[in-house]
Amino acid sequence: MINHENGVFLLHNEHISLMLRVNAYGLLEQLHFGGPVTMADAAAMTVCRTLGWGSSVLLDDKDAGSCADEMSLAWSGSGRGDYRESPLELAGKSTDFRFKNYRIIDGIVPMEGGLPQAKGDARTLEIVMEQTDLRLRLYFTLFDTAITRRCVLENIGEGAVTVQKFMSSLMDLPGNYEMTTFDGGWIAEMRKHTVPVLDSRVVNESVTGASSNRHNPGFLLSEVGATEDSGRVYGFNLVYSGNHYAGVQRSLQGLSRVVQGISPSNFAKKLQPGQCFETPEAVMSWSDEGFGGLSRKMHDFVNRHIVPEYWQYKLRPVLYNDWEGCMFDFNQRILLGLAKKARDLGCELFVLDDGWFGKRNDDRAGLGDYTVNKKKLPSGLKGLSDRIHAMGMEFGLWFEPEAVNVDSDLYRAHPDWALTDAFEPLLGRHQLLLDLTKPEVRDYIVENVSGILDSAGISYVKWDMNRHSIALGEKAHDYILGLYDVLRRIFEPRPQVLLESCSSGGNRFDLGMLCFGPQVWCSDDTDPIERLTIQGGLSYLYPQSTFGAHVSAAPHAQTLRNTPLTTRGNVSFFGCLGYELDLNHLLPVEETEIKAQTEFYKKYRKVFQFGTFRRTENGWQVSDGDTTLAGVFYVCRPAAPGYDYLRVKGLQKEKVYQFRTRPQFHRIGQFGSLVKHVAPVALNPNGFILRTADKHITLPDGEHSGTASGSALTAGIPMLPAYRGTGYDKQQRTQLDFGSTLYVIE
Ligand code: DGJ
């Protein structure tokens, strides 16, 4: 609902509310953002400003309370007495917008340019503010568990103005906060960092041309003392894939100003009379049930209002991707062999990654030339795809349409299509970006990719992009608008194609890309222990249905860590499961395990992909209300482990549940020289007999099952004793470093 009374606006539902007030000076104050309040609370929630503050600049000299600097605002000017961070900066000009009028609209107000936005059941408040030569439209859209904000600036004057900074949102929040950001780099995405919000500004910004693996646009503000399950936590995000900015700073009055939008770095957009500029949509939500509560609200919002309608709550296939297994080294025979194995192991979609076109035999050549390499694939894509379909699998394909190698026919024909500046071209992964601000480049990509999609029965696309940009400021923004245009033209007419975006892994894990495709390849780092950090970090703001999560080889390519296959599966289950390793090298025991994994995942796929996600003290859990799946992950095991408890969240206290562990097995070889103590004959751990046995024989891990009330499971039930050097026992968790246990609670 959105109500208006005496200059007060209230956007509210059972989860969330935002209260705004137009004050006597026509400035827009924010009286409240958080849990539900009512219109009758407006007076009580208004700050009494009768006393002045020294050195203030006043809007009215006769009113000591007219200092904009001390107001709790939802928008502000620059150079007009509010010295906190300004949301809008024009070259050489102050801004001073005052309230003009408003509209309440049923639904969303569509973007005027090409930016993506949240959709679905919603109501919107449009507030129009003006100063002599400019009109500002502020949009507040109320969804069920989040509110979005964006702005449009219109030049209604007679001269041009240059916009140097234009935020999507500004709010002042009372209270003491800590800011949590998710930072990192390639194969190191989403590392969680928390800093106090004090009087110096804390900034979360990306300037690489992408939302970036360095600083995800999503961040949190938590009241000091908030925990996973209690306390007030605010979540913020941006429906945008380019350079972003968020600044948070506490004022003397104890208001924390939060602004978010496009990065102002090098930004200078000229607006001629009559022209408009619109910002991306900022998203904000709130919970008083701690970080967990906030995550659940954000997950709901993304699943219902961000991902393309066709894919909302639609089950995702278990896929096999040939990249980590083959890299560039494959041919049709090899691929069909892998596809057959993948199908037999339970995969439903076969994805051919990089290397299928042009002279793409390594990453130095061929990018841009999407003509199939007939030496590798003599029957073409269609021939390959038909054979894969005949095996009962779907077929998916990798593209990197935004980039070009200098050694490519495309670059030789159109060197002017590359994105350049005044200097020597700078290569990244031996490639340049195409200039997506040029219509002819966009047309080429759209025709090229669409033609291939329609020619070969392709039902999944991995859309990759593997370098940072050199574009600055508004050029970088125009590039992203170009990208959205291309994605819209290719994928809107083909909604059934499952688009998984990727940018060297998680370099563009953002709500903008998720508006076009429901999944993102979250990292090139598939090491499951690293994924605990990466998927764990993502889980604060993005639902598990949006992560591509693959089981890969051990020792792992990036860490050389030798993680048990069970854990590789157990971690990937909490996302959209895939396999990405050379299946020809699997041992019989590994094939058996993978078959068991895909069977188990498919049985509970809906819960894993769309169930309510919770972070627990020793792992993650998902639940649909009837079934809860709880993963417990161990990183470094001590020699004398104490008791470990399974504590399950979100259960009904008085209900009785059955719990059991997913059966899992240990390779005999992992016991090394210990085997000789239990075997009837002395065996050499490196000898032929044990090496052969290791391929075929496993020992079961202790199976733990029983019944318990919701109360007991909430309080915590002791798990089986953990291995402690007293030998193998069927009634123990024989957990090594990097082991895990998965419980099913029904
Ligand atoms: C980077 C991606 O993240 C990988 O998964 C793979 O697709 C390679 N690019 C292919 O070049």
Side-chain angles (χ1 to χ4, degrees):
M1 287 278 282
I2 300 183
N3 304 114
H4 175 239
E5 255 173 48
N6 306 322
V8 175
F9 298 96
L10 180 63
L11 294 82
H12 62 120
N13 60 31
E14 56 181 312
H15 299 291
I16 202 161
S17 73
L18 174 68
M19 189 184 269
L20 307 167
R21 179 181 87 121
V22 179
N23 70 18
Y25 300 96
L27 297 186
L28 191 62
E29 292 187 21
Q30 177 166 307
L31 303 189
H32 168 75
F33 174 52
V37 295
T38 66
M39 206 46 132
D41 297 319
M45 301 197 90
T46 305
V47 172
C48 172
R49 282 192 314 267
T50 45
L51 310 175
W53 296 76
S55 37
S56 302
V57 172
L58 302 179
L59 294 172
D60 175 357
D61 194 41
K62 292 190 270 319
D63 178 5
S66 69
C67 170
D69 204 40
E70 66 171 271
M71 294 175 185
S72 171
L73 293 172
W75 193 259
S76 186
S78 47
R80 302 290 297 161
D82 184 354
Y83 296 97
R84 295 168 294 177
E85 182 161 15
S86 169
L88 174 62
E89 287 173 10
L90 306 175
K93 249 172 110 71
S94 310
T95 64
D96 189 356
F97 290 92
R98 306 295 174 107
F99 177 81
K100 190 84 188 152
N101 53 49
Y102 77 95
R103 272 191 312 150
I104 294 172
I105 301 134
D106 211 9
I108 63 165
V109 174
M111 289 275 181
E112 290 160 32
L115 287 165
Q117 70 189 124
K119 55 218 161 262
D121 198 18
R123 302 201 123 218
T124 302
L125 167 67
E126 178 192 64
I127 291 194
V128 181
M129 301 179 85
E130 277 186 12
Q131 64 180 40
T132 37
D133 52 351
L134 291 166
R135 178 174 299 135
L136 176 69
R137 280 181 268 134
L138 304 179
Y139 292 102
F140 302 81
T141 301
L142 174 69
F143 292 92
D144 25 23
T145 58
I147 287 175
T148 66
R149 285 190 58 175
R150 64 188 182 88
C151 321
V152 180
L153 185 68
E154 189 182 344
N155 185 347
I156 52 171
E158 281 167 13
V161 290
T162 301
V163 181
Q164 292 181 324
K165 174 182 182 186
F166 189 20
M167 294 290 104
S168 304
S169 150
L170 172 146
M171 64 163 67
D172 289 328
L173 284 174
N176 286 323
Y177 297 99
E178 290 176 327
M179 181 177 186
T180 300
T181 55
F182 299 91
D183 317 288
W186 177 65
I187 63 168
E189 295 88 345
M190 297 304 283
R191 296 181 175 182
K192 181 172 158 250
H193 297 121
T194 301
V195 293
V197 174
L198 298 172
D199 305 47
S200 294
R201 192 179 299 166
V202 194
V203 164
N204 184 49
E205 183 176 24
S206 141
V207 292
T208 63
S211 52
S212 95
N213 45 26
R214 297 183 179 209
H215 306 287
N216 193 275
F219 65 96
L220 310 168
L221 287 185
S222 50
E223 212 168 37
V224 174
T227 67
E228 183 59 27
D229 297 308
S230 69
R232 281 204 282 168
V233 181
Y234 293 89
F236 299 85
N237 213 335
L238 201 61
V239 188
Y240 190 54
S241 312
N243 293 336
H244 60 83
Y245 175 92
V248 186
Q249 185 170 21
R250 195 180 63 181
S251 72
L252 183 64
Q253 288 76 17
L255 297 173
S256 289
R257 171 152 295 181
V258 189
V259 303
Q260 47 173 163
I262 297 176
S263 164
S265 167
N266 287 294
F267 199 84
K269 180 91 187 166
K270 206 167 209 172
L271 272 193
Q272 298 294 350
Q275 284 187 330
C276 288
F277 183 76
E278 69 185 341
T279 70
E281 194 169 34
V283 179
M284 48 218 66
S285 187
W286 163 92
S287 174
D288 59 359
E289 291 179 0
F291 292 94
L294 185 274
S295 298
R296 291 190 287 280
K297 284 190 171 163
M298 282 298 200
H299 291 189
D300 254 33
F301 173 74
V302 175
N303 275 329
R304 285 186 206 201
H305 301 292
I306 291 290
V307 302
E309 229 176 304
Y310 181 91
W311 287 101
Q312 280 172 15
Y313 297 102
K314 191 163 261 151
L315 295 183
R316 312 293 164 68
V318 176
L319 68 79
Y320 174 78
N321 179 306
D322 77 318
W323 175 247
E324 288 195 24
C326 301
M327 303 258 156
F328 295 100
D329 199 10
F330 59 82
N331 58 34
Q332 179 169 301
R333 186 183 51 77
I334 293 174
L335 295 181
L336 290 175
L338 286 169
K340 184 170 173 314
K341 281 199 155 52
R343 193 259 332 256
D344 293 346
L345 293 172
C347 297
E348 300 155 314
L349 162 70
F350 182 86
V351 179
L352 173 54
D353 208 282
D354 199 353
W356 56 268
F357 50 85
K359 283 198 266 155
R360 188 83 175 149
N361 297 315
D362 56 38
D363 58 11
R364 293 181 173 270
L367 212 51
D369 302 337
Y370 294 102
T371 315
V372 73
N373 178 334
K374 287 270 183 156
K375 270 199 202 137
K376 288 183 181 174
L377 305 175
S379 343
L381 282 176
K382 173 89 168 75
L384 177 66
S385 160
D386 285 349
R387 287 168 175 79
I388 285 173
H389 287 144
M391 288 181 197
M393 293 178 97
E394 290 179 76
F395 180 58
L397 197 59
W398 178 96
F399 293 88
E400 189 171 350
E402 297 165 63
V404 67
N405 283 121
V406 173
D407 183 4
S408 68
D409 294 340
L410 183 69
Y411 186 76
R412 281 182 280 274
H414 299 285
D416 55 312
W417 282 11
L419 185 72
T420 50
D421 56 18
F423 302 100
E424 278 293 292
L426 290 179
L427 298 177
R429 206 195 182 198
H430 319 294
Q431 67 199 45
L432 296 167
L433 287 181
L434 292 172
D435 187 347
L436 265 57
T437 67
K438 294 188 168 152
E440 63 275 27
V441 173
R442 300 202 297 272
D443 292 348
Y444 168 79
I445 296 176
V446 171
E447 277 162 35
N448 202 328
V449 177
S450 307
I452 295 167
L453 292 187
D454 297 341
S455 72
I458 292 162
S459 51
Y460 163 104
V461 167
K462 181 171 171 190
W463 183 289
D464 205 347
M465 199 286 244
N466 282 298
R467 58 160 293 172
H468 294 318
S469 178
I470 52 150
L472 298 175
E474 69 283 9
K475 177 83 177 180
H477 176 62
D478 290 343
Y479 178 99
I480 294 295
L481 291 178
L483 169 65
Y484 290 149
D485 174 55
V486 164
L487 292 173
R488 189 170 283 121
R489 283 159 65 194
I490 297 174
F491 293 102
E492 275 189 8
R494 299 171 184 80
Q496 76 291 350
V497 174
L498 173 55
L499 168 63
E500 177 158 355
S501 77
C502 166
S503 182
S504 303
N507 194 30
R508 270 197 319 217
F509 203 116
D510 59 66
L511 298 181
M513 293 309 283
L514 284 169
C515 283
F516 296 95
Q519 274 174 228
V520 183
W521 180 228
C522 41
S523 179
D524 277 356
D525 187 348
T526 50
D527 178 297
I529 303 307
E530 293 276 301
R531 282 292 181 119
L532 292 177
T533 304
I534 297 166
Q535 293 175 212
L538 286 169
S539 75
Y540 282 86
L541 291 154
Y542 304 94
Q544 63 278 15
S545 63
T546 61
F547 325 155
H550 298 179
V551 171
S552 60
H556 188 262
Q558 278 125 10
T559 58
L560 292 181
R561 195 177 350 248
N562 208 342
T563 308
L565 183 53
T566 36
T567 298
R568 285 180 265 158
N570 288 345
V571 172
S572 301
F573 288 166
F574 289 86
C576 298
L577 177 67
Y579 288 82
E580 189 164 341
L581 68 172
D582 191 341
L583 301 177
N584 294 312
H585 298 159
L586 293 178
L587 299 174
V589 286
E590 293 177 315
E591 288 183 357
T592 310
E593 166 65 11
I594 292 182
K595 268 189 210 156
Q597 286 180 352
T598 55
E599 241 172 67
F600 179 82
Y601 182 78
K602 285 180 197 167
K603 178 163 179 202
Y604 295 109
R605 163 164 37 194
K606 196 165 176 206
V607 191
F608 278 122
Q609 294 180 353
F610 299 107
T612 303
F613 180 94
R614 287 184 167 90
R615 290 172 293 271
T616 59
E617 64 186 17
N618 46 16
W620 302 324
Q621 67 167 68
V622 284
S623 177
D624 67 356
D626 294 327
T627 302
T628 299
L629 303 155
V632 178
F633 304 106
Y634 318 105
V635 177
C636 193
R637 296 301 292 166
Y643 298 134
D644 289 320
Y645 284 79
L646 172 73
R647 290 201 171 86
V648 186
K649 296 181 179 180
L651 298 181
Q652 292 184 35
K653 301 269 176 339
E654 61 297 339
K655 241 186 174 173
V656 174
Y657 294 86
Q658 290 184 330
F659 64 87
R660 67 191 147 86
T661 48
R662 183 176 90 81
Q664 51 189 44
F665 301 89
H666 298 287
R667 298 239 321 252
I668 210 156
Q670 83 191 18
F671 296 96
S673 59
L674 297 175
V675 176
K676 75 175 184 199
H677 301 305
V678 288
V681 287
L683 287 173
N684 173 357
N686 296 315
F688 174 76
I689 297 182
L690 257 188
R691 276 194 282 122
T692 308
D694 186 40
K695 294 179 189 162
H696 300 277
I697 302 176
T698 53
L699 288 174
D701 193 24
E703 283 193 30
H704 186 204
S705 60
T707 55
S709 66
S711 300
L713 285 158
T714 307
I717 57 163
M719 292 191 249
L720 290 183
Y723 179 84
R724 64 194 55 166
T726 48
Y728 170 78
D729 189 300
K730 279 195 178 150
Q731 279 307 299
Q732 87 184 4
R733 273 175 305 133
T734 308
Q735 289 298 343
L736 326 172
D737 287 353
F738 320 125
S740 57
T741 311
L742 200 121
Y743 277 90
V744 181
I745 301 123
E746 284 171 314

